Amino acid sequence: GRSHNWNLFCSNYTAFILLTIFADDLLKIIKNQKIFILPFVIVVFFLSFSFFQTIYDYKKITELMFEKKNKELNKTEQSRIVENADFIKSLTNRKEKILIFTDDSYQGLYYGLSKTAAAVNPGFVELFFKTDYERILSFLIKNDKTKIFLEPDRFRFSDNKISVFLSSLYDVPKIEETPGSLMFLLKKKRENNKSNFILNQDKNIIVHELFDKNFANKLLYAQGAKGYITLGKQFSIEIIFKPLDAPTSQFARWTTILCNANVNNGFALQQNDTVKTQYIFSIHKQGILCPVVPGKWNYLSFEVNNHKISAYSNGQFVGAVDAQGDYQNSEEPLYIGNFKTLGGFFFGDIKELKISNSLINEKEVNASWEKIKNTL
């Protein structure tokens, strides 16, 4: 019941010994009683066949035993595992309790090679009860000091709750890039109790939130738990955010800041595939590209006026496009920081979001950008 034949090599010699003893006993009986000649011939045949077959296939057997080709093929993977383990080891102390999110088959290797211990047990290989999984999620919310390591291209689970929690609540202060792999060190964000609104209030506001001040609220939006919003044919969206400047990974494709879109209705604001310097705002499958500076504070403003979309990036007018149809509300909740929890997880900072059933005032946009430059 194994995935390889090594277990046969550990035990087959005993079968040869037993067959030899059995053949010797049969030979004695044949000499004395002249019976059991046919069983003796069959036993000798199998012994001879096994012996000569072993000699004939010694090269294949030797290769199977020593795995020289497989070891050579696995050198790249082994090197990546060792380098990532060294990265973890360089940032931790011996027996320090940490969390590592990666492929199940690597998790134990990383803990063992880095001489660290799991902060929450059981691990994903042994995960059985839903309550154990919920304990991990609870730990991610309450955690304050425990270091967390994420291998973004290799971590998978049956749902994306952990990815939603990590991208909403954690910074990425260190990144280790090795050939064919990427690993993040994650650190819990700190709420800024002194944070204040930069964008002006108006009487038609639908959403106006400070996400650096209340992470519990941010997490609710990330999970779509705040529900859907209703917008008119004319509305505006303004957002202040700082995207992570990280190498390409599964978390760096179509990174999504805002989304309530379904197949035909709603809107989305997301990175243009893997192009970190471009974000696209779209409705009706029509969009407008805006320049963005990774690792810096950016201010994007969008105005939807019936079927026309206008955009501003960091106080500058980007342009306008025809959406080929008026905006239609969707019944999807408003998600912030991911694409409906399915992907596009945004690792970075979102300071302030304002959505209003009012059109943009260009002078206010310019004034807000000047205030952002002087404040952040």
Side-chain angles (χ1 to χ4, degrees), residues 210-273:
L210 287 172
F211 290 117
D212 60 346
K213 196 170 187 176
N214 189 336
F215 292 155
N217 193 39
K218 182 182 181 183
L219 189 57
L220 289 174
Y221 273 107
Q223 298 174 92
K226 299 286 281 189
Y228 64 89
I229 59 174
T230 301
L231 300 174
K233 303 297 182 183
Q234 297 177 324
F235 65 89
S236 61
I237 297 176
E238 299 173 74
I239 188 163
I240 304 169
F241 69 105
K242 186 199 306 185
L244 176 68
D245 188 6
T248 301
S249 70
Q250 68 153 334
F251 289 116
R253 297 198 64 183
W254 297 106
T255 298
T256 304
I257 302 179
L258 302 171
C259 175
N260 71 343
N262 56 23
V263 176
N264 296 308
N265 302 326
F267 63 81
L269 173 59
Q270 53 192 165
Q271 182 180 286
N272 181 23
D273 198 356

Side-chain angles (χ1 to χ4, degrees), residues 296-333:
K296 303 288 185 181
W297 286 107
N298 293 266
Y299 169 46
L300 296 184
S301 312
F302 304 97
E303 176 185 89
V304 175
N305 190 350
N306 296 312
H307 55 84
K308 182 182 177 182
I309 306 173
S310 301
Y312 296 80
S313 175
N314 295 336
Q316 299 295 314
F317 180 65
V318 174
V321 297
D322 192 328
Q324 307 298 318
D326 292 349
Y327 172 81
Q328 300 292 327
N329 286 299
S330 76
E331 294 183 359
E332 294 284 346

Side-chain angles (χ1 to χ4, degrees), residues 64-75:
L64 186 61
M65 288 294 291
F66 293 98
E67 296 282 348
K68 289 182 180 179
K69 288 183 180 178
N70 283 342
K71 285 179 181 177
E72 195 64 32
L73 292 171
N74 290 334
K75 275 187 176 179

Side-chain angles (χ1 to χ4, degrees), residues 32-88:
N32 294 327
Q33 303 179 31
K34 308 299 182 184
I35 58 173
F36 296 146
I37 296 175
L38 181 59
F40 175 74
V41 172
I42 294 172
V43 169
V44 170
F45 170 78
F46 278 112
L47 279 171
S48 302
F49 178 79
S50 300
F51 175 74
F52 290 115
Q53 184 71 22
T54 301
I55 295 174
Y56 179 77
D57 280 335
Y58 80 93
K59 288 185 178 179
K60 291 182 179 178
I61 293 170
T62 302
E63 171 58 31
L64 186 61
M65 288 294 291
F66 293 98
E67 296 282 348
K68 289 182 180 179
K69 288 183 180 178
N70 283 342
K71 285 179 181 177
E72 195 64 32
L73 292 171
N74 290 334
K75 275 187 176 179
T76 301
E77 182 183 22
Q78 181 179 351
S79 175
R80 175 178 59 78
I81 291 170
V82 171
E83 288 177 7
N84 284 339
D86 287 342
F87 173 66
I88 296 171

